Amino acid sequence: MEPQVSELKQKIEDTLCPFGFEVYPFQVAWYNALLPPVFHLSLPGPTLAFLVLSTPAMFDRALKPFLQSCHLRPLTDPVDQCVAYHLGRIRESLPELQIEVIADYEVHPNRRPKILAQTAAHVAGAAYYYQRKDVEADPWGNQHISGVCIHPRFGGWFAIRGVVLLPGIEVPDLLPTKPLDCVPTRADRITLLEGFNFHWRDWTYRDAVAPQERYSEEQKAYFSTPPAQRWALLGLALPSEEHSLVSPELLPLTTHTPKPQNPSTVRGWLSPRVSPSASPGP
């Protein structure tokens, strides 16, 4: 890896990794090469970017402390706002650089996604994006089958959170890292895609590979509980408009965009929103 990329990656990791995130560099050109022009990032091809994902540890290291800090302040989507806060801290760690952060849930006014997160994860080498085209002679006929990313160490027990773009930083000599094909057989790919599309509520598709770590039972219960009841689950008071203990610096640095339940309109590139957080999250 180029020294400049290694240095920037280390600074971002120092900011994010203690809170349960992982960071992977890629070139904008690699992402654009797999997509129609309407989805391209409008930056020169060699521009450096980083894919950010959350591991199971994010729940305890980032989300719970964030909720405790903000527990008397109304939050429209605690997970996304927590992630936005941590992504915003990257600007503080690299004040000399122009930085653009795109969260996975952000959309344009016409509802077109600003980033196709699973494609970005694939080209960054973070997780393999399994799609219908990866199954020879598939058995699904006219059914729409959405793809899903699988992480070589966490299986499906992770979430893609967004990308960090560094306009003006070009790395034409950066070599791509291929994602590990950890579900190589046709039968296992069919099981994975059917589990994700038809049985996602039972969590089993996430075990497409034996994960080093899964979501804790508390974390699974949190994401399975209706939002209004999640605060009590963690022993926190229900947010109130009348009280706030959170300091302004704990709030996200960007305006939060509410997520639709299923903004997927791009067949073959976006998976359905099947949970309160980022695909294949939460």
Side-chain angles (χ1 to χ4, degrees):
M1 188 180 298
E2 295 183 33
Q4 183 184 27
V5 177
S6 296
E7 181 181 353
L8 291 171
K9 181 174 183 285
Q10 186 62 57
K11 288 185 177 181
I12 296 174
E13 286 180 336
D14 289 345
T15 300
L16 295 181
C17 290
F19 298 95
F21 298 93
E22 290 186 345
V23 178
Y24 298 82
F26 67 98
Q27 282 187 32
V28 164
W30 306 346
Y31 173 85
N32 287 349
L34 294 183
L35 295 168
V38 69
F39 294 109
H40 285 185
L41 296 170
S42 55
L43 290 168
T47 300
L48 178 62
F50 290 93
L51 184 283
V52 178
L53 60 82
S54 63
T55 73
M58 189 273 286
F59 184 77
D60 285 319
R61 295 182 186 176
L63 181 60
K64 288 172 68 175
F66 182 81
L67 291 177
Q68 289 165 353
S69 297
C70 302
H71 78 278
L72 293 181
R73 182 183 181 90
L75 296 173
T76 56
D77 190 318
V79 175
D80 284 349
Q81 287 174 272
C82 171
V83 171
Y85 163 67
H86 283 283
L87 292 179
R89 292 179 62 238
I90 297 172
R91 294 190 178 92
E92 300 173 15
S93 68
L94 297 168
E96 71 280 8
L97 298 181
Q98 180 184 353
I99 293 175
E100 180 181 353
V101 176
I102 306 177
D104 75 298
Y105 55 78
E106 291 189 69
V107 295
H108 294 285
N110 64 359
R111 310 306 295 165
R112 187 175 75 247
K114 290 186 177 182
I115 191 75
L116 299 188
Q118 299 203 98
T119 299
H122 188 93
V123 300
Y128 199 104
Y129 184 19
Y130 292 98
Q131 303 175 70
R132 182 172 185 166
K133 68 182 181 63
D134 296 312
V135 177
E136 185 178 354
D138 74 68
W140 299 302
N142 293 327
Q143 289 179 289
H144 173 54
I145 300 296
S146 295
V148 61
C149 277
I150 294 296
H151 191 286
R153 289 185 291 111
F154 299 116
W157 301 97
F158 77 104
I160 305 162
R161 297 303 181 183
V163 299
V164 178
L165 302 171
L166 279 70
I169 304 296
E170 298 188 2
V171 286
D173 296 326
L174 180 64
L175 297 177
T177 300
K178 291 184 178 180
L180 182 63
D181 182 1
C182 48
V183 187
T185 71
R186 177 179 181 273
D188 287 343
R189 290 179 180 183
I190 290 174
T191 298
L192 167 63
L193 291 173
E194 290 186 347
F196 178 66
N197 281 269
F198 308 134
H199 310 292
W200 57 267
R201 292 181 186 274
D202 67 12
W203 305 82
T204 56
Y205 82 86
R206 300 175 187 267
D207 288 328
V209 300
Q212 292 183 4
E213 186 178 359
R214 294 181 176 89
Y215 291 171
S216 65
E217 291 303 313
E218 180 185 41
Q219 186 170 178
K220 289 163 66 176
Y222 177 86
F223 287 117
S224 300
T225 299
Q229 301 171 27
R230 291 176 178 175
W231 299 85
L233 184 70
L234 298 179
L236 299 174
L238 191 67
S240 168
E241 289 282 356
E242 299 178 358
H243 301 90
S244 176
L245 296 181
V246 66
S247 57
E249 62 268 20
L250 285 177
L251 295 178
L253 300 183
T254 57
T255 302
H256 175 72
T257 304
K259 289 185 309 180
Q261 281 299 110
N262 187 353
S264 176
T265 57
V266 188
R267 290 181 180 267
W269 296 107
L270 275 181
S271 60
R273 292 285 176 159
V274 297
S275 63
S277 190
S279 176

